């Protein structure tokens, strides 16, 4: 059974940075299109960025230039580098496969506030 464990969230001031990690166990992620999602308070979960097996990436338009998704297949790990964070980035962040999601992890809380 696949288990996704997200970490790296926290409280950060506007303009700050965080690096999120997602470690998978039970399945090799290298053959899948993977993504980072987020769910702001009171809103639906949305796709933030995705990364294909060849390393090509796509981002939510409003996040281009601030967020960077990457993957290290040898570590079976997905990363999300987030810079210039703003209060509207506050959300629980999750990683998952895009096509047919694995069981969702617990996510990691990111709170951007002064």
């Amino acid at each position: 059974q696949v288990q996704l464990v997200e970490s790296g969230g926290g409280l950060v001031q506007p303009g700050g940075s965080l690096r999120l990690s997602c470690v998978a166990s039970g399945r090799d992620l290298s053959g899948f299109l993977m993504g980072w999602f987020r769910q702001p308070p009171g809103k639906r979960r949305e796709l933030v960025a995705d990364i294909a097996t060849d390393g090509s990436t796509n981002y939510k338009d409003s996040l281009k230039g601030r967020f960077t998704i990457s993957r290290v297949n040898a570590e079976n790990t997905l990363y999300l580098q987030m810079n210039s964070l703003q209060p509207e980035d506050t959300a629980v962040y999750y990683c998952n496969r895009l096509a047919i999601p694995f069981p969702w992890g617990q996510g990691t809380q990111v709170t951007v506030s002064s």
Side-chain angles (χ1 to χ4, degrees), residues 3-4 16 21 30 36 41 49 54-55 80 84 92 103:
Q3 185 176 17
L4 301 170
S21 300
S30 63
W36 279 97
D54 64 357
L80 185 68
S84 301
V92 180

Side-chain angles (χ1 to χ4, degrees), residues 81-102:
Q81 177 67 43
M82 306 187 296
N83 299 327
S84 301
L85 284 162
Q86 301 301 317
E88 55 266 31
D89 297 317
T90 295
V92 180
Y93 285 72
Y94 305 85
C95 68
N96 215 322
R97 181 173 61 172
L98 265 70
I100 303 174
F102 297 120

